Amino acid sequence: MLNLERLRTLDALARHGSVSGAAAGLHVTTSAVSQQMSKLEREVGQQLLAKNGRGVRLTDAGRLLADHAARILSQVELAQSDLEAQRGQAVGELRISAFPSAARGLFPATLTALRTAHPGLRVRSEELEPEEGVACVIRGDLDLAVVLDWYNKPLPLPDGLAKESLLDDPADVALPEGHPLADRAEVDLEDFADEEWITWAEGEFCHEWLMYTLRSKGFEPRIAHRAVEHHTQLALVAAGLGVCVAPRLGREPTPRGVRTIPVRHRVRRHVYVVWRADADRRPSIRAAVQALKGAADGRE
């Protein structure tokens, strides 16, 4: 008989690509991963791991069994979902993430509603950027992730996910209140072709969107400063150090010295929640989605 926990360890190794990554994903030590794999190799009578430099790789037998393990674990997830659905109660543990401004704008109301309506449900939340949140849901490290598309740049989503729309989040341009365009009712992004821009960290989805969008307007943006948090970006704007795109979700309060002006051709983010399709029948998933939609509706 194959041991389910050892198959789960093999699946984590296949998904994460390293012993340390599998250990982090499973919240165990690296020695525990190695021990489980040694026991699994003895059970099947074949070598599943081979040394690869300082790390390891799956052998042909390891990849074959890992494919089966993924299907087996998916079936276990379905069985758990069916049992939870039959019981009809949102109980147990639920792990959820959101990108920072969505966590600030949606989580307080969402988590409060879940605690009130489902006292038997333990919710763990964290802030993660959209791509990382999606990866964690696919790996099974999270149950749900709140993510986003920009109006002209969708976030790539792998197969096997379900999704639910939460809200459309308009974004404005934030500029110092003494800026020559600060009294405008609307602006165009190309009005700021000669400005210094404040943006997100290199490689982040929102930064890549900004570069793509500004270049599509016919100019190469001059990036002066980078900050992960919108509030840090706005503080730099207040100091007169540049302009930035400022989505409205989770933005308040806006610092003194900053004007936010709508873009004439609407700039917006589409905010939605994703989860594994094989967990779709779990009452806790449905309860969390409904609580998130309630929090989003409460902002309109």
Side-chain angles (χ1 to χ4, degrees), residues 15 21 275 279:
R15 289 185 285 104
W275 63 94

Side-chain angles (χ1 to χ4, degrees), residues 5-15 22 26 33 36-37 40 48-49 58 61-67 69 73:
E5 287 308 308
R6 288 165 199 157
L7 290 179
R8 199 180 303 279
T9 302
L10 176 62
D11 178 65
L13 265 169
R15 289 185 285 104
L26 294 169
V33 170
Q36 290 282 55
M37 289 305 301
L40 185 58
L48 303 176
L49 296 178
L58 294 179
R63 286 194 294 271
L64 177 65
L65 186 56
D67 288 342
L73 293 171

Side-chain angles (χ1 to χ4, degrees), residues 115-300:
R115 175 178 288 184
T116 301
H118 307 284
L121 183 64
R122 300 183 305 278
V123 183
R124 291 168 48 197
S125 69
E126 60 181 305
E127 290 184 355
L128 288 177
E129 292 300 325
E131 290 171 316
E132 188 177 0
V134 168
C136 285
V137 170
I138 288 292
R139 291 198 304 262
D141 299 335
L142 285 174
D143 297 301
L144 304 100
V146 178
V147 299
L148 64 92
D149 289 328
W150 284 95
Y151 71 103
N152 58 344
K153 190 174 178 64
L155 177 72
L157 289 180
D159 294 335
L161 292 180
K163 61 187 287 188
E164 183 79 29
S165 177
L166 297 177
L167 63 107
D168 279 340
D169 181 32
D172 306 315
V173 174
L175 60 162
E177 62 181 9
H179 192 281
L181 302 182
D183 60 350
R184 291 271 193 94
E186 292 181 324
V187 292
D188 293 310
L189 292 176
E190 49 266 44
D191 293 338
F192 303 93
D194 297 325
E195 300 286 342
E196 291 189 324
W197 284 85
I198 299 162
T199 182
W200 296 267
E202 183 77 37
E204 280 194 14
F205 181 66
C206 287
H207 169 75
E208 297 303 321
W209 164 79
L210 181 65
M211 300 299 290
Y212 167 81
T213 300
L214 296 183
R215 286 168 178 161
S216 73
K217 301 296 182 181
F219 67 93
E220 181 66 25
R222 292 191 295 141
I223 305 302
H225 306 285
R226 300 179 186 275
V228 174
E229 282 284 343
H230 287 157
H231 285 166
T232 304
Q233 295 182 15
L234 292 173
L236 295 171
V237 172
L241 298 172
V243 301
C244 74
V245 170
R248 296 178 190 176
L249 178 63
R251 187 173 75 194
E252 299 300 331
T254 303
R256 293 180 59 185
V258 174
R259 282 269 289 125
T260 55
I261 303 177
V263 180
R264 183 171 291 107
H265 301 289
R266 195 178 183 205
V267 173
R268 65 190 184 280
R269 307 184 297 183
H270 179 59
V271 181
Y272 55 101
V273 58
V274 299
W275 63 94
R276 285 168 62 108
D278 55 18
D280 194 58
R281 292 190 290 273
R282 288 175 56 190
S284 57
I285 295 286
R286 305 313 309 175
V289 171
Q290 290 305 310
L292 282 163
K293 292 181 72 172
D297 291 344
R299 299 187 55 83
E300 296 178 355

